[in-house]
Amino acid sequence: MLYLVGLGLGDETDITLKGLEVVKKSARVYLEAYTSILLVDKSILESYYGREVIIADREMVESSSDEILEGADTVDVAFLVVGDPFGATTHTDLVIRAREKSIPVRTVPNASILSAIGAAGLQLYHFGQTVSMVFFTDNWRPASFYDRIRENRSIGLHTLVLLDIKVKEQSLENMARGRKIYEPPRYMTVGQCAQQMLEIEEEKKEGVYGPESLAVGAARVGGETEKFVAGTLKELCDADDILGGPLHSLILLGTGTHELEHEYVREFALDKENWDRIWAENYQSKK
């Protein structure tokens, strides 16, 4: 059996009892380590689980999945995923490859950012399409997220923006030369995301959001040092020191924000008076 086991978002203790039983009985245990990161080192997981944990990087999962699946038709193999197993499409692909080899698959779900973000105080059924923000380069500034945010905003829904992480990435030069030299890990911050969004708005000038748009920055959701900061996009460009280290996410408020949501999120506001003013003028639900 191939087991896809969700680890939750915080530390080694967030695994479910069912997931822990799977880990302890499996012949091999892999940890997917590029779509997200846990807030503790691999060594802590190994100590808690009492098992060796094999790091599965992007290259292994996407190009060498046979190594992970080897023998999984006769022994149990555990594939650990930060958050919930199906929070990334890569894991869907792994299941399809297992099916092609007639390997049975089971999933042990857990909390993901898609559900845990409710701790910010915004009701989950008021969220629209989730989008991703990648690091811009000098010649690559993808903006497909803009249209999805526009669609969400047009019907008053919030948008969760997931921020880019770069783990075990090669530079274009090293990739072209076939050199296995990897760049240091990088994790996008709320400030970087807010700045890039404002740059795209300046280019498109469609008024989907701007410097005065309200948003919530989130850091280490589900962990002991979880942190939320609310303000305008302009304010959040300079809020990284308050939020602290990775991982970060960003929420753009929908225009039909409920009063209970406003009251809850207001406690995170950098400038409560400014937050109240902008919310009353542009975001208060008319229902």
Side-chain angles (χ1 to χ4, degrees):
M1 181 80 68
L2 171 67
Y3 287 93
L4 274 66
V5 180
L7 295 183
L9 297 170
D11 56 32
E12 73 280 9
T13 65
D14 283 346
I15 192 171
T16 64
L17 289 175
K18 183 180 291 185
L20 187 58
E21 289 175 357
V22 168
V23 169
K24 287 184 177 296
K25 74 173 185 176
S26 293
R28 299 192 309 280
V29 180
Y30 295 92
L31 172 63
E32 187 268 278
Y34 65 91
T35 59
S36 188
I37 59 167
L38 211 57
L39 302 179
V40 294
D41 292 333
K42 178 176 80 87
S43 60
I44 294 178
L45 296 184
E46 291 178 323
S47 175
Y48 188 76
Y49 300 155
R51 296 299 311 283
E52 178 190 5
V53 175
I54 304 165
I55 294 294
D57 59 20
R58 182 188 297 273
E59 182 178 355
M60 174 183 285
V61 178
E62 294 185 348
S63 303
S64 304
S65 61
D66 287 349
E67 183 177 339
I68 297 171
L69 298 175
E70 183 179 1
D73 55 339
T74 57
V75 298
D76 292 329
V77 175
F79 185 77
L80 311 183
V81 181
V82 177
D84 186 79
F86 290 107
T89 55
T90 294
H91 310 131
T92 302
D93 184 63
L94 184 63
V95 171
I96 292 173
R97 296 186 189 195
R99 287 175 178 171
E100 291 172 350
K101 294 177 177 290
S102 300
I103 296 172
V105 179
R106 279 190 188 159
T107 303
V108 182
N110 209 320
S112 77
I113 188 63
L114 299 177
S115 57
I117 198 64
L122 298 172
Q123 297 167 10
L124 293 178
Y125 53 81
H126 285 172
F127 279 80
Q129 303 169 85
T130 299
V131 303
S132 298
M133 174 70 76
V134 301
F135 284 109
F136 288 172
T137 66
D138 292 340
N139 53 12
W140 191 58
R141 298 165 60 86
S144 58
F145 63 87
Y146 190 92
D147 294 333
R148 294 185 181 182
I149 293 172
R150 183 203 300 113
E151 292 172 3
N152 289 345
R153 187 177 176 87
S154 70
I155 52 177
L157 299 179
H158 313 308
T159 300
L160 172 61
V161 186
L162 304 179
L163 310 191
D164 199 7
I165 70 172
K166 298 291 188 186
V167 179
K168 202 175 180 183
E169 297 278 341
Q170 294 174 275
S171 68
L172 291 177
E173 179 182 355
N174 286 329
M175 190 180 300
R177 295 177 179 274
R179 297 184 299 211
K180 296 291 186 178
I181 300 174
Y182 301 100
E183 301 295 298
R186 288 194 296 154
Y187 307 98
M188 182 179 285
T189 67
V190 161
Q192 290 170 323
C193 178
Q195 182 60 48
Q196 289 189 176
M197 294 181 70
L198 292 177
E199 290 173 9
I200 295 299
E201 179 60 54
E202 182 63 25
E203 292 176 8
K204 291 184 173 288
K205 300 185 184 300
E206 296 182 25
V208 174
Y209 48 78
E212 294 298 291
S213 295
L214 295 182
V216 181
R220 300 170 304 285
V221 175
E224 292 186 4
T225 60
E226 176 181 85
K227 182 75 174 180
F228 298 103
V229 172
T232 65
L233 280 180
K234 183 178 180 181
E235 289 173 332
L236 292 183
C237 284
D238 300 313
D240 287 345
D241 287 345
I242 299 173
L243 285 167
L247 295 171
H248 288 194
S249 302
L250 181 73
I251 310 167
L252 296 171
L253 257 66
T255 52
T257 306
H258 192 278
E259 189 167 342
L260 288 176
E261 294 177 292
H262 162 68
E263 182 178 348
Y264 195 111
V265 179
R266 184 181 186 275
E267 291 303 307
F268 305 132
L270 294 166
D271 183 336
K272 289 182 172 55
E273 290 185 5
N274 194 45
W275 178 274
D276 290 341
R277 176 186 63 80
I278 296 174
W279 178 78
E281 293 175 356
N282 302 291
Y283 289 85
Q284 186 170 6
S285 176
K286 307 303 180 184
K287 297 180 181 180

